[in-house]
């Protein structure tokens, strides 16, 4: 049983889906990079800020200044072109993965689930022979040409997408989303400008419909995409769902398009083969050769891939190890495919006190943070703590002896009235950043720890 | 494998039909009025029309009228710089500055294009650079670097500083008079530009956009409420009082310092904000929108907090400089109330209306 499954995964199939995926992914990443640059976001997010919220363990990651950051994005753009064309593919995809991930690691403020997804996909692409057909590499080195690859090389992309959807669906199975249609109930009335259906946006049942449909879609779409019979219909759902999210929530940017294009990988090898044939004018791929991994990789890869997917399952579930309301504490919230899941806003005033003189200094956040950083920081405890530590440094440099940092933060979650978020009596300068439960975040409800 | 029941499949199929219908409709771009909006929630167009026609355009018109009076009073004072004329001028200046507070919250659309707020009310003015400009007799009031050399803060300094009357008869008198006139002209021109844009095409643009995403009038309004509250808490009241600096005060940095009208200006600013928030009690304001969103209690609380903050500001007497040493308790209390109001607007109101408080555009998820 197990062995036959393994054998099935090794079965050679047409390389076509991998090639389509490579080309579409490359083109989309190129478009995304151009859009990011054209919007002036490189400067806004990676040059203007004076302070960056790094990830734990990645404190050594720093931006490279105006020229440096634009250069990096130039490199990313070049890599996407090479990926699309299949030119120096392996180098290009390694460079893309490294540069893209580096940029994402600079500042927690800019964390988006689909950026994380892009990092993961590009990591997987490093190990896949996506350049062995219809590529410049094959033109230069015809010996590289392969028409067939092991099934699992396409399978891991599908599995990755399935994991994203499934966990996104699981995340929606919470009382706020399912029983109270929150945050849809808050977000939809803001869409009443839409023609014809605008007036409906105030109706509660619409919010419930959106919530329930979203949850069911996320939970089951991957299964319907896997199944050959339901696949075409399921892809219609993919299109419908993501296009409507793009219409209703334009703020989510590239995300719908990333998913539409990625989900295309679920179509069979035969389908992709016909598609490629349509574009390059050949009827089919003449089976010339099967791609075979080098011996060392054949030994190593199963382990690497096994660990990778184990992590993909553990990481989104790590929130279970923490007490308290997940949306409130956000311990284990990121890297878990929680997309558009809550309406949370807050604002925070920091006060720096000099114990020896009793003098207090209220902090003007706009002096140190961009508006976006200020906004993101105000609802996320780890960012509040990092900023508090930064303030302690800044005020120490200004000559204040052992500054104590206090935060007065109010947060509103899912339409509830705002309430005090951080214990105002705790000196945040003395609290250390860790994976442990934050005791200085005030509980969401009274009976929580 | 997960087996799906027929019911689930039926549910999903039904949902798909509805979604397709929705997409088809939203793409077809039909007429918004096919559904009666008031029966389905709230008429945002009526709200925006109220803002444009009954609040924003009249506020700019009043400011323009008042600016003409200011020009006349300035000229009288410049011709005969004496104490009596200065006293008269100060009253007119105060009235004009108060009318400016009424439009202070409207810094979007034409006002944003013209950078009205930057050029009219960047305080404190840089008196050193202004004096340099006057001595040289050459300056530009249009470059972005010159924002703190003009507008109300520059006039406040030039017309009402302790040695103002002497200055207008001294060695630099000719250049100084011309500088004042240039500042007044510049101010009037910018107000006129903004008003004519509102009376022109922008009114329709404003009323016609009932979206709430970034760049829309509703988002602008809520963001501006938050921004003005930040300004009130910081530069207008808190920072000069030493909130940021361990108690070291900076009285010269207040708005309208020389004329001694800082608290009056702050109070008017907040009062104008309140009027904007409830649409001047017309039943079509932001407070009513909250009610339509089933946030009756929040709406009431915000209005009550406006009154609390305004009333506590009123207990602080002008000039603010004197109050900073004599009325610390009242200032602390007012500061507290302002902070509570700021939190309500920035957090609760923004959250309830689904508007992002950010003066910066980006993707989210």
């Amino acid at each position: 049983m197990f062995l036959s499954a393994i054998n099935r995964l090794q079965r050679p199939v047409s390389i076509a889906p991998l090639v389509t995926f490579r080309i579409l992914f490359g083109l989309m990443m190129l478009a995304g990079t151009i859009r990011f640059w054209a919007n002036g976001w490189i400067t806004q997010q990676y040059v203007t800020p004076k302070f960056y919220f790094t990830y734990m363990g990645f404190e050594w990651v720093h931006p490279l200044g105006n020229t440096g950051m634009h250069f990096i994005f130039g490199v990313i753009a070049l890599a996407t072109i090479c990926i699309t064309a299949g030119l120096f593919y392996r180098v290009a995809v390694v460079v893309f993965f490294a540069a893209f991930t580096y940029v994402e690691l600079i500042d927690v403020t800019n964390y988006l689930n689909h950026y994380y997804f892009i990092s993961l996909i590009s990591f997987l692409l490093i190990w896949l022979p996506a350049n062995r057909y219809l590529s410049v590499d094959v033109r230069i080195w015809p010996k590289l040409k392969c028409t067939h690859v092991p099934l699992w090389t396409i399978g891991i992309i599908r599995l990755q997408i399935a994991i994203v959807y499934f966990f996104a669906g699981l995340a929606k199975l919470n009382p706020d989303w399912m029983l109270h249609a929150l945050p849809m109930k808050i977000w939809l009335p803001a869409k009443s400008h839409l023609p014809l259906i605008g007036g409906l946006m105030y109706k509660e049942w619409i919010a419930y419909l959106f919530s329930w449909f979203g949850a069911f879609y996320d939970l089951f779409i991957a299964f319907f995409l896997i199944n050959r019979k339901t696949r075409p219909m399921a892809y219609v759902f993919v299109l419908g769902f993501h296009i409507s999210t793009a219409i209703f929530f334009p703020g989510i940017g590239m995300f719908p398009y990333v998913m539409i294009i990625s989900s295309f990988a679920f179509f069979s090898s035969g389908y992709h083969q016909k598609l490629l044939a349509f574009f390059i004018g050949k009827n089919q791929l003449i089976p010339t050769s099967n791609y075979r991994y080098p011996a060392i990789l054949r030994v190593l890869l199963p382990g690497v891939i096994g660990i990778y997917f184990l992590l993909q399952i553990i990481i989104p579930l790590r929130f279970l190890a923490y007490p308290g309301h997940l949306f409130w504490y956000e311990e284990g919230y990121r890297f878990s495919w929680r997309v558009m899941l809550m309406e949370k806003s807050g604002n925070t005033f920091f006060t720096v006190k000099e114990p020896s003189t009793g003098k207090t200094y209220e902090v003007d956040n706009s002096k140190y943070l961009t508006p976006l950083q200020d906004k993101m920081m105000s609802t996320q405890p780890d960012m509040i703590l990092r900023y508090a530590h930064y303030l302690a440094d800044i005020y120490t440099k200004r000559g204040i002896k052992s500054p104590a940092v206090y935060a007065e933060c109010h947060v509103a979650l899912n339409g509830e009235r705002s309430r005090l978020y951080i214990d105002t009596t705790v000196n945040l300068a003395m609290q250390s950043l860790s994976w442990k439960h934050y005791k200085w975040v005030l509980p969401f409800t009274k009976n929580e720890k | 494998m997960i087996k799906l029941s027929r019911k689930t499949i039926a549910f999903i199929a039904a949902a798909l039909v509805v979604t397709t219908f929705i997409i088809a409709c939203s793409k077809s771009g039909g007429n918004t009025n096919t559904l009666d909006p008031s029966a389905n929630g709230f008429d945002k167009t009526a709200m925006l029309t109220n803002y444009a026609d009954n609040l924003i355009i009249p506020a700019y018109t009043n400011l323009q009228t008042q600016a003409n009076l200011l020009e006349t009073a300035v000229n009288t004072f410049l011709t005969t710089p004496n104490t009596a004329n200065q006293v008269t001028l100060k009253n007119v200046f105060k009235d004009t500055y108060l009318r400016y507070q009424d439009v202070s919250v409207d810094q979007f659309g034409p006002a944003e294009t013209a950078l009205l707020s930057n050029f009219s009310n960047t305080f404190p003015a840089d008196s050193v650079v202004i004096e340099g400009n006057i001595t040289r007799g050459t300056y530009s009031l249009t470059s972005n670097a010159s924002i703190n050399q003009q507008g109300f803060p520059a006039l406040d300094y030039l017309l009402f500083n302790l040695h103002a009357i002497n200055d207008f008869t001294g060695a630099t008198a000719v250049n100084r008079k011309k500088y004042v006139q240039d500042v007044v002209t510049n101010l009037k021109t910018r107000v006129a530009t903004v008003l004519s844009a509102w009376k022109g095409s922008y009114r329709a643009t404003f009323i016609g956009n009932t979206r709430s995403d970034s760049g829309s009038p509703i988002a602008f309004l809520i963001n501006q409420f938050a921004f003005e509250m930040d300004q009130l808490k910081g530069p207008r009241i808190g920072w000069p009082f030493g909130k940021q600096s361990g108690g070291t005060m900076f009285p010269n940095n207040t708005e309208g310092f020389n004329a001694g009208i800082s608290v009056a200006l702050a109070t008017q600013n907040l009062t104008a904000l309140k009027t904007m928030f409830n649409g001047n009690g017309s039943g079509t304001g932001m407070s009513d929108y909250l009610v339509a969103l089933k946030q009756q209690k929040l709406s009431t609380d915000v209005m009550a907090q406006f009154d609390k903050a305004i009333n506590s500001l009123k207990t602080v007497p002008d000039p603010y400089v004197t109050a900073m040493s004599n009325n610390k308790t009242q200032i602390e209390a007012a500061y507290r109330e302002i902070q509570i109001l700021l939190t309500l607007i920035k957090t609760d109101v923004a959250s309830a209306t689904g508007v992002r408080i950010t003066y910066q555009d980006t993707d989210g998820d």
Side-chain angles (χ1 to χ4, degrees):
Chain A
M1 171 74 184
F2 182 72
L3 272 179
S4 76
I6 294 284
N7 280 336
R8 204 178 108 78
L9 288 173
Q10 297 289 358
R11 184 167 57 91
V13 295
S14 163
I15 194 172
L18 220 46
V19 173
T20 328
F21 189 78
R22 184 198 85 215
I23 293 170
L24 290 177
F25 181 79
L27 287 176
M28 187 175 52
M29 291 302 105
L30 178 62
T33 310
I34 292 170
R35 172 173 172 268
F36 202 89
W37 190 313
N39 281 335
W41 291 345
I42 303 178
T43 308
Q44 245 176 47
Q45 298 183 9
Y46 300 109
V47 181
T48 314
K50 298 184 182 82
F51 167 71
Y52 295 89
F53 295 87
T54 46
Y55 287 91
M56 237 187 283
F58 292 93
E59 286 81 359
W60 46 274
V61 177
H62 299 292
L64 294 171
N66 192 16
T67 320
M69 288 317 293
H70 283 85
F71 175 76
I72 288 283
F73 275 83
V75 168
I76 292 177
L78 189 67
T80 60
I81 294 168
C82 289
I83 291 170
T84 312
L87 171 63
F88 308 128
Y89 168 78
R90 195 80 58 174
V91 177
V93 79
V94 168
V95 165
F96 177 84
F97 165 72
F100 190 90
T101 308
Y102 155 74
V103 169
E104 293 320 310
L105 285 174
I106 292 174
D107 196 337
V108 178
T109 308
N110 307 316
Y111 172 81
L112 287 182
N113 284 295
H114 70 267
Y115 291 157
Y116 173 49
F117 178 70
I118 290 164
S119 275
L120 293 179
I121 286 289
S122 58
F123 174 77
L124 292 177
L125 280 175
I126 293 175
W127 309 98
L128 306 181
N131 62 326
R132 296 307 185 103
Y133 191 78
L134 201 64
S135 69
V136 180
D137 283 346
V138 170
R139 276 284 169 87
I140 302 174
W141 300 283
K143 269 199 286 181
L144 287 180
K145 186 171 175 178
C146 292
T147 55
H148 286 69
V149 292
L151 175 63
W152 67 263
T153 57
I154 299 155
I156 59 171
I157 291 176
R158 292 173 183 160
L159 179 58
Q160 180 62 61
I161 296 164
I163 286 175
V164 172
Y165 274 127
F166 189 68
F167 277 106
L170 275 189
K172 290 184 173 68
L173 301 181
N174 68 73
D176 270 6
W177 185 277
M178 301 300 286
L179 302 181
H180 307 292
L182 285 167
M184 284 302 152
K185 234 186 247 175
I186 303 169
W187 288 342
L188 292 181
K191 307 295 165 189
S192 64
H193 61 271
L194 291 171
L196 285 179
I197 49 155
L200 286 179
M201 293 298 112
Y202 290 102
K203 303 281 187 201
E204 278 203 355
W205 64 265
I206 282 276
Y208 280 96
L209 178 76
F210 271 60
S211 300
W212 279 65
F213 180 67
F216 277 97
Y217 171 86
D218 280 344
L219 278 173
F220 298 116
I221 192 68
F223 299 105
F224 287 117
L225 282 169
I226 288 276
N227 188 319
R228 190 165 43 84
K229 279 184 197 151
T230 52
R231 191 178 300 136
M233 198 56 189
Y235 199 71
V236 172
F237 268 85
V238 171
L239 289 173
F241 180 80
H242 288 298
I243 290 171
S244 48
T245 58
I247 291 171
F248 277 93
F249 308 106
I252 57 178
M254 296 289 289
F255 180 68
Y257 310 105
V258 171
M259 293 318 283
I260 285 173
I261 283 182
S262 302
S263 302
F264 199 53
F266 279 94
F267 282 96
S268 70
S269 289
Y271 182 89
H272 279 276
Q273 210 167 302
K274 276 185 217 151
L275 187 81
L276 287 188
F278 176 79
F279 281 105
I280 59 173
K282 284 179 201 163
N283 271 339
Q284 53 182 331
L285 302 172
I286 302 131
T288 51
S289 58
N290 294 344
Y291 178 76
R292 278 180 67 81
Y293 274 92
I296 175 128
L297 281 182
R298 261 181 285 157
V299 177
L300 282 178
L301 270 181
V304 171
I305 290 167
I307 292 167
Y308 174 91
F309 280 106
L310 191 65
L311 285 174
Q312 283 306 308
I313 288 162
I314 292 171
I315 291 171
L317 292 176
R318 74 190 187 284
F319 77 96
L320 294 170
Y322 291 101
H325 188 16
L326 172 65
F327 292 0
W328 188 250
Y329 288 91
E330 296 202 33
E331 291 165 324
Y333 192 87
R334 290 182 206 110
F335 308 110
S336 306
W337 316 117
R338 302 177 193 283
V339 186
M340 309 236 5
L341 208 50
M342 59 178 180
E343 162 61 43
K344 197 179 184 187
S345 48
N347 73 319
T348 317
F349 310 111
F350 286 90
T351 312
V352 177
K353 284 189 183 149
E354 188 175 41
S356 53
T357 59
K359 284 189 177 176
T360 62
Y361 303 80
E362 205 170 287
V363 178
D364 179 2
N365 290 341
S366 67
K367 268 193 182 163
Y368 308 104
L369 303 177
T370 65
L372 184 66
Q373 288 179 315
D374 189 10
K375 172 179 165 277
M376 298 307 275
M377 176 274 294
S378 284
T379 58
Q380 303 180 45
D382 57 344
M383 294 176 78
I384 290 174
L385 192 60
R386 267 204 196 275
Y387 181 52
H389 291 173
Y390 171 70
L391 288 175
D393 283 352
I394 289 278
Y395 279 80
T396 307
K397 277 181 198 145
R398 280 204 196 163
I400 288 161
K401 293 192 188 80
S402 49
V405 182
Y406 300 91
E408 188 184 329
C409 179
H410 286 87
V411 169
L413 176 62
N414 273 352
E416 296 258 332
R417 291 294 292 277
S418 67
R419 55 189 87 174
L420 209 54
Y421 193 48
I422 305 291
D423 189 338
T424 51
T425 64
V426 171
N427 173 8
L428 295 175
M430 300 299 285
Q431 301 299 315
S432 52
L433 206 64
S434 79
W435 300 110
K436 287 187 195 132
H437 182 55
Y438 299 127
K439 299 269 197 234
W440 39 268
V441 177
L442 294 171
F444 184 61
T445 51
K446 285 204 176 91
N447 46 16
E448 261 182 4
K449 271 177 221 157
Chain B
M1 272 301 287
I2 292 177
K3 285 263 184 210
L4 290 173
S5 71
R6 278 182 172 277
K7 265 187 187 172
T8 316
I9 293 169
F11 173 82
I12 292 176
L16 173 72
V17 170
V18 175
T19 314
T20 321
F21 170 75
I22 288 168
I23 295 164
C25 294
S26 61
K27 277 179 143 179
S28 68
N31 189 343
T32 326
N33 297 329
T34 42
L35 288 167
D36 176 13
S38 56
N40 288 283
F42 184 74
D43 190 349
K44 289 180 192 170
T45 311
M47 174 172 81
L48 295 174
T49 310
N50 177 42
Y51 276 120
D53 294 350
N54 303 328
L55 286 156
I56 299 172
I57 295 175
Y60 279 115
T61 311
N62 290 339
L63 176 59
Q64 189 175 49
T65 312
Q66 191 60 47
N68 288 331
L69 297 180
L70 176 66
E71 187 175 43
T72 312
V74 163
N75 285 334
T76 309
F77 173 71
L78 293 183
T79 316
T80 322
N82 60 29
T83 316
N85 283 341
Q86 196 190 33
V87 170
T88 316
L89 173 60
K90 195 184 277 187
N91 285 326
V92 182
F93 176 77
K94 182 181 175 182
D95 286 343
T96 316
Y97 214 161
L98 289 176
R99 294 292 72 78
Y100 176 79
Q101 298 301 330
D102 296 342
V103 304
S104 189
V105 71
D106 305 329
Q107 298 305 312
F108 42 81
E112 203 185 24
T113 314
L115 295 173
L116 183 67
S117 171
N118 306 45
F119 280 98
S120 310
N121 199 22
T122 298
F123 60 90
D126 192 332
S127 57
V128 178
V129 180
I130 290 175
E131 289 298 339
N133 288 346
I134 290 171
T135 313
R136 275 195 320 279
T138 53
Y139 44 82
S140 155
L141 296 179
T142 48
S143 79
N144 282 346
S146 70
I147 53 169
N148 59 356
Q149 302 157 31
Q150 57 182 301
F152 288 102
L155 291 176
D156 174 61
Y157 162 74
L158 288 163
L159 301 171
F160 307 114
N161 75 57
L162 291 175
H163 43 88
I165 295 178
N166 285 337
D167 287 348
F168 283 105
T169 50
T172 58
V174 177
N175 281 3
R176 188 173 299 270
K177 285 176 185 177
K178 182 171 182 306
Y179 193 84
V180 170
Q181 282 166 334
D182 285 347
V183 169
V184 172
T185 309
N186 215 324
L187 184 69
K188 280 183 60 187
T189 311
R190 283 183 202 275
V191 173
T193 309
V194 174
L195 180 58
S196 74
W198 268 100
K199 284 182 169 169
S201 63
Y202 187 71
R203 180 188 172 275
T205 312
F206 181 82
I207 293 170
N209 184 351
T210 53
R211 307 169 74 103
S212 306
D213 42 8
S214 94
S216 64
I218 291 173
F220 268 138
L221 279 167
I222 300 217
N223 271 285
Q224 274 301 119
F225 287 133
F227 179 78
E228 286 294 315
M229 290 307 302
D230 265 332
Q231 295 297 299
L232 195 59
K233 175 178 139 49
R236 288 197 166 95
I237 300 295
W239 302 163
F241 186 54
K243 276 286 168 192
Q244 209 184 10
S245 43
T248 310
M249 297 188 196
F250 297 93
N252 299 27
N253 287 356
T254 50
E255 189 183 26
F257 164 72
N258 292 285
I261 54 173
S262 311
V263 183
L265 293 174
T267 312
Q268 183 57 32
N269 183 280
L270 194 53
T271 310
L273 224 58
K274 182 194 160 193
T275 310
M276 282 295 278
F277 193 80
N278 74 348
N280 203 18
S282 63
T284 53
M286 209 53 87
S287 57
D288 306 293
Y289 180 41
L290 284 180
V291 175
L293 294 171
K294 301 191 181 75
Q295 293 282 355
Q296 174 73 60
K297 172 112 179 27
L298 175 60
S299 181
T300 317
D301 288 356
V302 173
M303 289 313 292
Q305 190 57 36
F306 262 117
D307 289 335
K308 257 189 174 175
I310 291 168
N311 289 334
S312 67
L313 257 183
K314 281 182 177 163
T315 64
V316 182
D318 263 325
Y320 194 42
V321 197
T322 324
M324 279 184 199
S325 27
N326 298 344
N327 306 78
K328 284 179 191 288
T329 328
Q330 287 91 329
I331 297 176
E332 288 287 357
Y335 184 77
R336 200 67 216 155
E337 298 303 339
I338 288 168
Q339 186 155 309
I340 294 170
L341 181 58
L342 168 60
T343 298
L344 277 175
I345 289 176
K346 231 178 168 174
T347 307
D348 298 58
V349 173
S351 198
T353 51
V355 166
R356 282 165 190 270
I357 293 289
T358 167
Y359 318 102
Q360 192 177 331
D361 174 42
T362 185
D363 286 349
D365 75 356

